[in-house]
Amino acid sequence: MATTAVRDVVRAVVPVECPGCGALDVRWCDTCAAVWWEPPLRSEQLAPRLDVEGRAPFPVWAPATLAGPAHGFIAAWKDAGRRDLDAVLADAMRRSAAAVAPALAAIPTRLTVVDVPSRPGARRRRGRDLAALLASAAVEGLGDGGLPGVKHRRVVRLAHGEQRGGSARRRWSGMSAAVTSAPVPQGEAVVLVDDVMTTGATLAACLRSLEGRGVPVVGAIVLAVADAGRATATSGLG
């Protein structure tokens, strides 16, 4: 009885529930967490704003779609202060990067991981740097997959966030103007890392900024993509 009473008090003060299905008294259930164990799939065809003039869309890999349990996990992680999900989502990124490593091994140059930064206001509100967490996990995963020595560099900057509430074209234009980048050492190619891909506008803006400085971008790894059901499994870069 005492144990039950204590648990009820704790639940009232700090509710504990699975972010995927809402089950009480568990940080997450195995069924919902299983989505993060899926192999990453090629997903660039789902992004209507990933196209950059004169360039074919670059490969984007993701283990999940932004629906159901995956949406719940990411929303709780980003907007509800669920720091206990750091390890779950970092592990998902690490496994995805390890699975992608054989495809990236064909790149005849050194690789560096560049995270897509959060909006400055969101980073301050959360009190931690989720983008850097994912980038570090990707570096470890690429090493696990046979690509040791990959570096994480923070070279992309957002002057302001993507415009919300407007058309997709307007948001794309706003993001393109917001992204700037610093130089990357000569002879390195970039793999972008982000939490989600919706329209692809942010990834495209990062690509334009980096390649405008002569830095090739060879792909991206994200935790989830917005459109379910159309990603395809492939290990190639083409």
Side-chain angles (χ1 to χ4, degrees), residues 9-31:
V9 170
V10 171
R11 182 193 295 171
V13 177
V14 185
V16 177
E17 63 180 30
C18 173
C21 65
L24 295 174
D25 296 329
V26 291
R27 292 188 297 167
W28 51 82
C29 69
D30 292 342
T31 299

Side-chain angles (χ1 to χ4, degrees), residues 115-121 123 155-162 174-181 194 202 205-206:
D115 62 276
V116 176
S118 305
R119 299 184 306 277
R123 194 163 58 245
V155 298
V156 175
R157 301 287 185 270
L158 297 184
H160 52 78
E162 182 178 359
M175 182 55 70
S176 295
V179 172
T180 61
S181 62
D194 203 358
T202 305
C206 292

